[in-house]
Amino acid sequence: MSTEFATTAQEPPIEQSSGSDFAQLSRLITREGLLARRPVYYAVRFSLVGLAFVGGWVALFVLGDSWLTLLLAAVMSVVFAQVALISHDLAHMQVFSNRRYSENGGRIAANLVMGMSYGWWMNKHTRHHANPNHEDRDPDVSPEILVWSQGQAKASSGVARFIGRRQAYLFVPLLMLEGLNLSYNSFRALRSPIMKRPAVEATLLVVHFVAYFGLIFAALPPGKAIAFIAVHEALLGIYLGSVFAPNHKGMLMITSDMKFDFLRRQVLTSRNVRGHAFTDVVMGGLNYQIEHHLFPSMPTPALGRAQEITRRFCAEKEIPYYETGLLGSYREIFRHLHHTGAPIRDAA
């Protein structure tokens, strides 16, 4: 894994100032106005995704009893994933500075439109941001199904131990079930004390699934309807996994005896994905994972400029800043999964 320290030649060295390294970086980011809301951008983005969502359901009835609807199911998996990315931005208050607006918008996008509990996901994601890749504190690397370190592999049992032997090969097939996993955990969390508005979330989830299954079975005969749902759910899971997995999987795993300040904890455990405007759209800005973790409320269109500043700042502070291409990130993930499963294979 190579480390890159790219700098902008025409810019002067970063001024050394008082405060922590992160405080210095924050002043640079604030000076550029990169934390300001971007209402026009989000209005356009929401409108385009909304039109695609409504258009997809209209197309389902236009196509009717046809196997071409399976292609539409693939398209709708992309649309649903884009709704999930909108929910993510709302949860981080990137869209509205008002928390109530953000939460209400998040529940509409996540619960009603996508069919995932906003409250459950928000609680889980907040803990992840606080302790990314921490073996004991980050729920995204808990060894429930997969193991993310050799220490977890040695202590694994049950399903995680069974899957861990070949988890690099099973990773993509397991992602096909991620949509079902999100729905299952969403309903299971409704009785959890972490939920702020359980009745509202439950109502929105029920409305979503009644409409989802009702529209599909109204437009298609049972066999094609089931095939549509299977394709849609499988590709949705793969898409979401393809967007979120490159962010941290295969990067530094943190244990309780490791001590890092906030800046280094976020940078060293995150991976940026190089690309272009198309990558930004497909990944919803999460390809700038380092900057997103440092400034979670930063609107998506500001992340590109923030990367230039952050990468240069890290170079001058001699903090490893890692980025790679999308395919390269997947290769690293599969190598990491295979490596972490070695203790299970060796014990077999």
Side-chain angles (χ1 to χ4, degrees):
M1 190 181 298
S2 61
T3 304
E4 303 183 3
F5 295 108
T7 59
T8 305
Q10 68 271 25
E11 295 186 17
I14 294 171
E15 296 179 3
Q16 300 299 315
S17 55
S18 60
S20 67
D21 288 342
F22 179 67
Q24 295 175 40
L25 176 59
S26 294
R27 283 192 283 271
L28 294 172
I29 294 294
T30 303
R31 189 184 305 162
E32 291 277 335
L34 298 178
L35 296 175
R37 298 293 176 268
R38 305 292 182 93
V40 174
Y41 164 81
Y42 279 109
V44 172
R45 181 176 168 188
F46 286 17
S47 297
L48 291 175
V49 174
L51 287 172
F53 183 83
V54 174
W57 292 115
V58 172
L60 179 64
F61 283 88
V62 171
L63 289 173
D65 186 2
S66 168
W67 288 110
L68 289 176
T69 54
L70 297 187
L71 294 177
L72 179 61
V75 173
M76 289 299 283
S77 70
V78 174
V79 176
F80 270 58
Q82 287 295 318
V83 173
L85 292 171
I86 286 175
S87 304
H88 171 271
D89 287 9
L90 285 162
H92 281 296
M93 298 184 67
Q94 296 176 18
V95 184
F96 305 111
S97 57
N98 183 290
R99 182 172 297 278
R100 185 175 67 178
Y101 293 165
S102 298
E103 290 181 348
N104 289 339
R107 291 189 185 100
I108 292 171
N111 292 61
L112 182 61
V113 180
M114 187 191 169
M116 178 187 73
S117 167
Y118 171 85
W120 163 74
W121 181 86
M122 181 63 175
N123 176 272
K124 175 175 174 288
H125 196 61
T126 299
R127 288 184 286 134
H128 157 71
H129 264 263
N131 292 284
N133 272 15
H134 193 294
E135 292 193 23
D136 301 320
R137 299 174 185 171
D138 182 357
D140 287 357
V141 293
S142 60
E144 297 175 353
I145 301 296
L146 302 173
V147 292
W148 300 103
S149 72
Q150 291 201 343
Q152 289 181 346
K154 292 173 183 176
S156 65
S157 60
V159 175
R161 190 166 188 83
F162 175 76
I163 291 179
R165 292 183 177 89
R166 297 288 183 268
Q167 60 181 16
Y169 303 99
L170 296 173
F171 184 61
V172 173
L174 286 171
L175 286 180
M176 296 171 70
L177 302 174
E178 181 60 19
L180 297 176
N181 180 57
L182 292 174
S183 299
Y184 169 74
N185 281 298
S186 293
F187 278 102
R188 189 177 69 166
L190 291 174
R191 299 182 64 181
S192 170
I194 67 171
M195 302 295 285
K196 292 182 179 180
R197 301 285 187 273
V200 172
E201 294 221 15
T203 300
L204 293 175
L205 283 173
V206 170
V207 170
H208 166 84
F209 283 105
V210 169
Y212 177 80
F213 289 115
L215 288 171
I216 293 172
F217 279 94
L220 301 173
K224 288 187 176 70
I226 293 171
F228 181 97
I229 293 168
V231 170
H232 177 254
E233 291 295 328
L235 295 182
L236 174 61
I238 290 175
Y239 189 156
L240 291 175
S242 298
V243 169
F244 283 92
N247 301 341
H248 304 280
K249 308 311 183 192
M251 295 300 292
L252 174 69
M253 292 289 291
I254 294 180
T255 57
S256 296
D257 59 335
M258 297 179 181
K259 304 300 179 184
F260 295 105
D261 62 8
F262 175 80
L263 176 63
R264 287 162 179 81
R265 182 169 69 251
Q266 302 296 343
V267 173
L268 296 177
T269 59
S270 302
R271 174 197 290 109
N272 273 17
V273 175
R274 284 193 301 267
H276 34 64
F278 180 74
T279 310
D280 293 354
V281 172
V282 170
M283 299 191 70
L286 295 183
N287 44 313
Y288 303 106
Q289 190 65 195
I290 293 172
E291 289 70 32
H292 170 61
H293 259 253
L294 290 172
F295 305 98
S297 64
M298 180 180 292
T300 296
L303 291 169
R305 174 55 182 158
Q307 181 192 39
E308 298 173 8
I309 297 171
T310 303
R311 185 168 50 192
R312 181 165 166 263
F313 183 87
C314 287
E316 295 202 4
K317 295 291 183 178
E318 298 185 346
I319 302 172
Y321 180 108
Y322 186 64
E323 58 182 343
T324 188
L326 186 59
L327 294 180
S329 71
Y330 296 141
R331 284 194 294 269
E332 292 171 7
I333 292 167
F334 290 127
R335 280 200 299 266
H336 177 73
L337 286 168
H338 188 70
H339 174 71
T340 55
I344 303 175
R345 293 192 300 274
D346 294 342

